[in-house]
Amino acid sequence: MKPLSRLLLFTLLISAGKAAFSADPLSLWEAMERAAQSNPAIKSQQVEVSRQTLEQDIARSQHLPKVDLNAAYTRYAYPTFVTPIREAGVFPPMDRDIANLGLALTMPLYSGGKLVAGEALAAHNREVSVQALRAGGQDLLFNVAATYTKALHFRQLGKVLDARIKALQQEEKDIGLRIREGRAARLELIRLQTQLSQARYDKVSVTQGEKDALSLLASLLGESGPAPILSELGATAPVLPVSAEEAMGRALQQRPDILRLDAMGKAAQQKTAIARGDRLPQINLVAKAQESAGGDWKGYDDWQMGVQLSLPVFDGDIRKRRVEQAGLEQRQNALQQEDARNRLASEVEQAFGALTESRARLEAATQGESEASEALRIETLRYHSGENTITDLLGAESALWAATASRLQAGYDISVSQARLLRAIGELAPDSFRPPAAGKKSGAEHSSSGIDPHTLTQYLSWHRCGMDCDDEPIALNAYVSPRQRFTATGLPGHSIQQGARL
């Protein structure tokens, strides 16, 4: 039994190790890297690049001679020459069963520039597919970043709601005690319970939002298993342009959709060259060597070599119209490039402005949360001293909740805005959000990204629920302190207000 026990123990250890490995938190840059490697849509575009690479090799091989091996066996109704006449006055043998075996060579000598243009066209088409792959990768990485931060936002917002619900529950107990002592009306309890019910609904909505975000993230990662466990964003400082003008210059140089349209324009030029080459003479070198035999299987050698010329004379203006069609494609592509550059300027300006706005919004939201916290402290003191009503207290508590949710959203919007700006200039990559080395942290904080004191790093350090939310009873005059420490972590895109849909 000992070998069997050891085998079972070894199996359990391996399973536990695999479970522990799979439970490792997934950072943002790792999620982006995994998506770039495993997403099926990206893999499909990689296959297209490989296909265009083969097409480029095919076009390059069009310059080389082509050699074909030919073999045939024919039975004729009447005797036929086994081989052509080899000398005057001497007829070759005749037979009804004739077999041929030979090699045929064809090599282009002049094709009106079509072969050169075809090779260039294949190279430009491959570049189009490469830039399409880059554009798809940029969109995928941005979606991963946005979904990842959304899931983090909902997770941290859920922590805030847990603290809020427990605080409201404690206040519910407090009011119940005050009602039994005759110091509060039942209407106060009803109003607080309404607030508590709304907070519980918000918690359900936030939990579902986190599940949906994690499900979408798993889909972007190309996985069908359980949702990944996410880690905090950490201290990241992507290298960003310091001005919209610099961002525009970098975007024009490396934005994949701009480079893709440039490659398509060059491909259209080569299509025009090919269409014009169809109207020019075509000259080929041809050669053939074969051996023929009749029923007696006696072989007769034969060979031939020559030059073939083909000159188009009339085809109903088909070639002419193809030249005009290729010219229109060039014109169409030029207009698309102009439109893309105009849209790019607007997109870069908006992305750069969104980052600036999100940083300013975080600063304002932080100030608003501080003021709301102080207002709640004052209203709590006044309520317990009998100077105001439960309506005033709940209004201040609701304002603090809205301010906290706004701060959480503003903080994570910084990360999303950074990813949007990097995508706008074509530089979004997993390494953009990789935490710097320990020895380079100080330098990263002062990089060209223009990070101000309200960085995402500092923002995350604020998101810790310092509230004492255990089940122990809290003294009536101790209700202020938990409210003062009401903080946590958050996400982009969903500003939550009291009574609002999540």
Side-chain angles (χ1 to χ4, degrees), residues 214-240:
L214 289 174
S215 176
L216 177 57
L217 180 60
S219 174
L220 293 173
L221 297 179
E223 300 174 353
S224 57
I229 300 175
L230 308 185
S231 64
E232 296 294 346
L233 291 180
T236 59
V239 180
L240 303 176

Side-chain angles (χ1 to χ4, degrees), residues 336-358:
Q336 289 176 347
Q337 291 185 43
E338 182 180 358
D339 177 65
R341 287 184 173 88
N342 293 336
R343 287 186 290 105
L344 177 61
S346 175
E347 183 177 348
V348 169
E349 186 70 28
Q350 291 178 8
F352 199 89
L355 179 58
T356 304
E357 185 271 341
S358 60

Side-chain angles (χ1 to χ4, degrees), residues 167-237:
L168 289 174
Q169 288 174 339
Q170 182 60 41
E171 187 64 20
E172 183 182 28
K173 295 178 182 178
D174 177 35
I175 293 179
L177 179 60
R178 291 162 64 93
I179 291 175
R180 286 194 297 271
E181 295 176 352
R183 298 168 54 197
R186 187 166 184 80
L187 180 60
E188 295 184 1
L189 179 62
I190 294 175
R191 288 175 177 173
L192 186 138
Q193 288 175 340
T194 301
Q195 195 95 328
L196 181 59
S197 298
Q198 181 62 50
R200 287 169 176 163
Y201 168 75
D202 290 346
K203 171 63 178 177
V204 173
S205 300
V206 165
T207 301
Q208 185 59 43
E210 182 184 2
K211 290 180 181 179
D212 293 343
L214 289 174
S215 176
L216 177 57
L217 180 60
S219 174
L220 293 173
L221 297 179
E223 300 174 353
S224 57
I229 300 175
L230 308 185
S231 64
E232 296 294 346
L233 291 180
T236 59

